[in-house]
């Protein structure tokens, strides 16, 4: 599963994910196409897609989180989704493998912060943080990690 935190469904974040998933089947979830309420926000008649996204996440073994850097941080789409994880305390996420993609014009100052948040999320929900890619070379390494896992399971 690919969680795309970019406002651009086919932007640089999605292109980097395609390199990670090359030749593998995956389901993209583009947060720009979903409405997820902020904590404490009423839906105002809009459907809140949080539970739907969580149900899909529960079905995945591998989760690739794509994060564009906006103003030295993660996108609001992804931050809102992570904030809502408090609603998912009983979600069966243990053992899932999480791969991280961070890209942007100058993501270096944001990488430690974003990586720390994702690692904390993984620890809290007993998921396995597998690594980070910020470019094509690193995306190939993550692909190989994921692909080798696939071969071992065959």
């Amino acid at each position: 599963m690919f969680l795309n935190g970019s406002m651009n469904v086919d932007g640089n974040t999605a292109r980097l994910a395609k390199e990670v998933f090359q030749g593998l089947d995956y389901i993209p979830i583009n947060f720009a196409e979903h409405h997820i309420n902020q904590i404490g926000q009423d839906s105002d008649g809009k459907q809140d897609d949080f539970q739907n996204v969580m149900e899909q996440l529960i079905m995945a073994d591998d989760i690739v989180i794509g994060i564009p850097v906006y103003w030295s941080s993660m996108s609001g789409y992804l931050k809102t989704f992570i904030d809502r994880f408090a609603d998912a305390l009983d979600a069966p996420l243990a053992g899932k493998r999480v791969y991280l993609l961070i890209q942007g014009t100058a993501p270096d100052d944001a990488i430690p912060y974003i990586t720390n948040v994702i690692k904390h999320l993984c620890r809290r929900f007993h998921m396995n943080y597998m690594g980070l890619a910020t470019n094509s070379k690193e995306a190939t390494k993550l692909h190989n990690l994921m692909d080798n896992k696939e071969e071992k399971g065959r």
Side-chain angles (χ1 to χ4, degrees):
M1 170 154 301
F2 170 51
L3 298 177
N4 186 358
S6 176
M7 65 180 177
N8 299 312
V9 173
D10 293 318
N12 293 331
T13 304
R15 280 193 284 279
L16 194 57
K18 286 177 184 175
E19 293 180 38
V20 171
F21 285 110
Q22 185 179 14
L24 302 173
D25 291 330
Y26 70 100
I27 298 169
I29 294 185
N30 299 299
F31 286 122
E33 299 175 336
H34 294 273
H35 176 77
I36 297 177
N37 291 337
Q38 298 280 333
I39 292 176
Q41 182 182 35
D42 291 329
S43 63
D44 293 332
K46 293 181 184 176
Q47 178 178 340
D48 181 12
D49 294 326
F50 177 78
Q51 197 56 44
N52 181 331
V53 172
M54 282 303 298
E55 288 170 8
Q56 292 182 61
L57 220 93
I58 289 167
M59 300 302 292
D61 292 324
D62 293 307
I63 302 165
V64 174
I65 303 173
I67 304 173
V69 173
Y70 297 152
W71 292 97
S72 298
S73 187
M74 68 180 71
S75 68
Y77 292 128
L78 189 61
K79 180 67 169 93
T80 296
F81 184 72
I82 289 172
D83 287 346
R84 290 285 302 279
F85 258 76
D87 292 344
L89 291 176
D90 296 327
L93 299 170
K96 300 202 180 293
R97 293 171 294 275
V98 176
Y99 304 80
L100 182 58
L101 308 178
I102 301 176
Q103 65 77 42
T105 305
D108 293 344
D109 62 334
I111 290 172
Y113 158 73
I114 294 170
T115 304
N116 185 52
V117 169
I118 300 303
K119 285 181 176 180
H120 180 78
L121 188 74
C122 288
R123 283 189 304 271
R124 174 65 184 89
F125 290 93
H126 309 287
M127 297 183 290
N128 301 310
Y129 176 78
M130 303 300 291
L132 163 69
T134 61
N135 57 49
S136 292
K137 184 178 178 181
E138 294 169 348
T140 298
K141 289 179 183 178
L142 292 188
H143 169 79
N144 291 338
L145 273 175
M146 198 179 297
D147 197 34
N148 287 335
K149 181 269 314 166
E150 292 285 326
E151 289 178 11
K152 288 178 184 177
R154 289 182 189 147

